[in-house]
Each structure stands twice: as C-alpha cells, then as structure tokens.
Amino acid sequence: MHDDHVANRSTGARRFPGWMAAGIGALLVLTLSATWVVTTRSEPAAPATAPAEHSPDSGGAPAEVPPEAADDGELPDDREITPFDTRHAAVTRLDKRLLEAVQEAARDARDDGIEFVVTSGWRSKEHQQRLLEEGIEKYGSLEKAREFVNTPEKSTHVSGKAVDIGPTDADDWLIRHGSAYGLCQVYANEMWHFELLAGPGGTCPAPLNNAAG
C-alpha cells in the first residue's frame, strides 16, 4: 500500500505539470502580446523633416540666409545674385525706388536675352571702409584708391542709392537703355555703377571721371 501510494503520487506528479504548463503557456502568450501592444503604441513617431528654405531664383538650392546682425552687404562668391534676390541685405536694403527701377529694367533686359547680376549693392560703413583700405593697398595711395572707392561718409553704396551691375553685356544694355528707368552710369571709369539720377525717360547727366570727382 505504501508502494501504491508512492506510485499514485508519482503518477499524479506526471499529470499535474501538463495542465499547469498549458495554463502558464497561455498566460505567457497573453503577457507578451500585451507588452508588444503597449510598446508599439507608446513608441513615438519619427519626427517630420522641416522643408529647406528656398529662394525664388536659387534653382531649388537651399537658401543660405546670413544672420542680419552679421550681414554687412557682402555677397557670396559661390553664386550669382539677381536684383530679385532679396534674401541678401545688399539687395533688400537698397533705396526702394532704385531697387524697383533696377528690377523693372532687369525684366525688360531678359526679353533681349540679358541677365542682370548684382555685384554690389548696399554696404555697411565697415564694409565700405574695408574696401577703401584694400584699394589703398592695391593702388598704393589714398588719392589713387579714391578714384575707385569712396569713403564711408561719401559712398552712395552706404546710403543704398547705388548698385553695381554685371556682366559687361548687362552694363552695356543698361548704359544704352537705363535712362528709360532713370538709371544712369555715374563714373566714366566704372561702367557697372548705376544710380537713380533722372526721372523715367529723362536725360542722364554726363558721367564723372571717377569716384573722386
């Protein structure tokens, strides 16, 4: 009887884990499923990427907008700036009437296959002074440098009333047609330097010899 009791206990031991294992297995499946659902639902979605800023004439390239405080009117060397590229202070800080006249002329010049490029526009006093110092170093004296670069106090670039246009074919077009917009070549030795010196359709004054007068 002792042996039967032991045998019965042994048999019971073999049967008990079967239904217990099935129950434990079901619980594990439910637990893992719930954990997967919670984890999946709580995982944050990937952040959306902000679209890059584009300029109207950049051809799809991201715009590089310099901080306003650091922008002294210097233009980048790696791309051409048009009169419509108002991302740059050199363009947007031009006198309003001057900018409108240059933009109107640029539109008409395009009809003739000519593209305007702004090679220089508004400049800060610091930028103008830097150009003057570079001119002195290049030409050997202040007197000679002044034929091409004005002082910050006298420069019409600093006041936003002058714009330099390129290339040469655009300068030639503007010299011939600029008076229709009031745009005039100011200096005989600078075919690229234009100011608003007449009314639309008026007569431009004769160019000065150079920036020194």
Side-chain angles (χ1 to χ4, degrees):
M1 186 172 182
H2 177 73
D3 291 338
D4 290 341
H5 179 66
V6 171
N8 289 337
R9 289 178 60 189
S10 300
T11 302
R14 287 195 297 271
R15 290 175 182 176
F16 181 73
W19 62 264
M20 180 178 286
I24 292 173
L27 286 173
L28 285 173
V29 171
L30 290 173
T31 301
L32 290 172
S33 298
T35 302
W36 180 85
V37 170
V38 171
T39 302
T40 302
R41 289 181 178 178
S42 62
E43 183 178 352
T49 302
E53 182 182 359
H54 292 74
S55 93
D57 67 337
S58 63
E64 297 179 1
V65 184
E68 184 67 25
D71 192 346
D72 64 359
E74 186 169 2
L75 293 173
D77 295 326
D78 58 348
R79 62 186 300 267
E80 294 181 341
I81 304 302
T82 76
F84 306 98
D85 199 343
T86 54
R87 297 178 301 113
H88 296 277
V91 175
T92 195
R93 295 188 68 173
L94 287 172
D95 175 81
K96 182 179 179 181
R97 290 175 59 246
L98 171 62
L99 179 57
E100 289 175 349
V102 172
Q103 289 176 340
E104 183 181 1
R107 292 187 189 97
D108 292 343
R110 280 178 176 173
D111 294 338
D112 293 337
I114 304 295
E115 291 291 335
F116 282 14
V117 174
V118 176
T119 58
S120 191
W122 170 85
R123 303 170 188 157
S124 69
K125 290 183 177 180
E126 292 76 16
H127 186 186
Q128 187 68 28
Q129 181 62 37
R130 188 165 66 247
L131 293 177
L132 180 59
E133 292 170 358
E134 291 173 357
I136 294 172
E137 182 176 353
K138 178 179 180 179
Y139 297 108
S141 69
L142 173 61
E143 182 180 3
K144 188 63 177 177
R146 282 280 287 101
E147 294 182 9
F148 300 93
V149 189
N150 242 321
T151 64
E153 293 74 25
K154 294 183 177 181
S155 173
T156 47
H157 282 285
V158 173
S159 63
K161 296 185 181 298
V163 63
D164 293 349
I165 298 294
T168 303
D169 61 348
D171 296 331
D172 180 67
W173 189 96
L174 202 48
I175 289 170
R176 290 185 289 110
H177 302 288
S179 61
Y181 314 90
L183 296 167
C184 305
Q185 179 189 5
V186 181
Y187 306 119
N189 68 334
E190 295 183 18
M191 67 180 300
W192 54 83
H193 182 109
F194 294 88
E195 297 179 22
L196 203 60
L197 299 181
T203 302
C204 288
L208 302 172
N209 290 332
N210 52 58

